[in-house]
Amino acid sequence: MTPSPWTHHRSAGVADDVDFEIKGQELQFVEIELDPGESAVAEAGALVWKDASVEMTTVFGDGSGGQGAGFMGKLLGAGKRLITGESLFTTVFTHQGQGKAKVAFASPTPGAILPLHLADLGGTLICQKDSFLAAARGVSIGVQFQRRIMTGLFGGEGFIMQRLDGDGWVFVQMGGTVVERELGPGEEIHVDTGCLAAYTPSVDFDLVMAGGVKSVIFGGEGLFFARLRGPGKVWVQSLPFSRLAGRMLAAAGATGGQNRGEGSVLGGLGDLIGGNR
């Protein structure tokens, strides 16, 4: 197997830095190494495996407020997660033993897990609402609303996005192949609203018409593109989950799809006899 390019070893003296390695190609998982007392926060259901010394605690909200956060603070954090379609709870994994311990998390869909250090991005990342997978504890998971009226009405998946704040490592899941673009001041690209995976807050996000009437009706690309104008970084994913799910539903149809080449000459009766229905 080709070694993963995403391998990191913590820097001495950086408290919220963690060791990690991302393994696999199309179906990846991230393996995080914790020192005693260190914690990682993950989306509910993302765990693959953990060492026995790593204790798992389910918390209300995003797990960033610590034990001292009041009830209203936790309620606000949970409310933000609910708006973005996530669970009200996150899971905190803390190494309570000696030496090193590991915990691993996996993306639920084919694609890539991208490690990003928020301190290198100005402390904030805006991403698709189902992108967050895991992070070093202390990262805040909030909600980003698009402020322009047209963007709010027609932005689709780009209207409500996740906002990740902090100075530590965060791991986001993206569909298919991921491309990073560095936009200069005034540089502009147009992206399908579903294929926009993440961007830094310095990037101006708006919508533009996909083309003329003929392009809108017959082009199959939707009515609007996401217009991203620099300066800043943009991450584009080739296969958003909504597109994958839409193609699967379209192929399945109302009767669950067609058994091409697998059925018998008896049609539906043959499928019943053969155990396909």
Side-chain angles (χ1 to χ4, degrees), residues 148-166:
R148 292 185 174 93
I149 295 177
M150 288 293 290
T151 307
L153 291 175
F154 302 106
E157 295 165 272
F159 173 44
I160 300 177
M161 304 184 77
Q162 284 183 331
R163 181 185 178 98
L164 307 177
D165 294 290

Side-chain angles (χ1 to χ4, degrees), residues 30-275:
V30 56
E31 185 179 86
I32 300 177
E33 187 175 80
L34 301 173
D35 288 327
E38 281 187 335
S39 298
V41 181
E43 196 60 65
L47 177 69
V48 178
W49 62 271
K50 68 180 184 66
D51 287 332
S53 60
V54 177
E55 293 190 2
M56 182 175 69
T57 305
T58 301
V59 297
F60 192 59
D62 62 8
S64 64
Q67 298 299 322
F71 174 75
M72 290 305 297
K74 294 179 180 179
L75 186 62
L76 180 61
K80 291 178 180 179
R81 290 176 50 77
L82 190 63
I83 290 174
T84 58
E86 305 292 349
S87 168
L88 285 172
F89 300 90
T90 52
T91 309
V92 179
F93 297 84
T94 305
H95 179 19
Q96 302 286 14
Q98 302 295 321
K100 302 281 189 176
K102 294 182 178 181
V103 59
F105 310 103
S107 172
T109 58
I113 298 174
L114 192 64
L116 297 170
H117 198 230
L118 291 179
D120 297 335
L121 302 174
T124 299
L125 179 73
I126 300 170
C127 54
Q128 286 283 8
K129 58 186 180 181
D130 56 353
S131 296
F132 174 76
L133 178 65
R137 188 167 190 178
V139 172
S140 174
I141 309 165
V143 59
Q144 174 79 12
F145 288 103
Q146 303 304 336
R147 298 178 180 178
R148 292 185 174 93
I149 295 177
M150 288 293 290
T151 307
L153 291 175
F154 302 106
E157 295 165 272
F159 173 44
I160 300 177
M161 304 184 77
Q162 284 183 331
R163 181 185 178 98
L164 307 177
D165 294 290
D167 59 0
W169 284 99
V170 62
F171 305 94
V172 290
Q173 54 196 13
M174 301 179 182
T177 301
V178 181
V179 175
E180 179 183 309
R181 288 286 303 268
E182 178 84 40
L183 301 181
E187 185 179 359
E188 185 176 306
I189 61 171
H190 297 169
V191 182
D192 180 273
T193 54
C195 292
L196 173 60
Y199 62 94
T200 53
S202 59
V203 173
D204 181 66
F205 174 74
D206 201 357
L207 295 179
V208 294
M209 289 287 294
V213 176
K214 184 187 296 184
S215 298
V216 170
I217 296 176
F218 301 108
E221 300 297 340
L223 187 60
F224 294 97
F225 288 139
R227 190 217 66 191
L228 301 150
R229 180 179 294 161
K233 290 187 176 183
V234 175
W235 289 266
V236 180
Q237 58 186 359
S238 66
L239 184 63
F241 179 71
S242 59
R243 180 178 296 179
L244 176 62
R247 293 294 177 90
M248 293 174 65
L249 288 173
T255 59
Q258 297 178 1
N259 258 338
R260 297 179 180 175
E262 297 180 4
S264 71
V265 294
L266 298 177
L269 179 59
D271 288 336
L272 286 173
I273 296 173

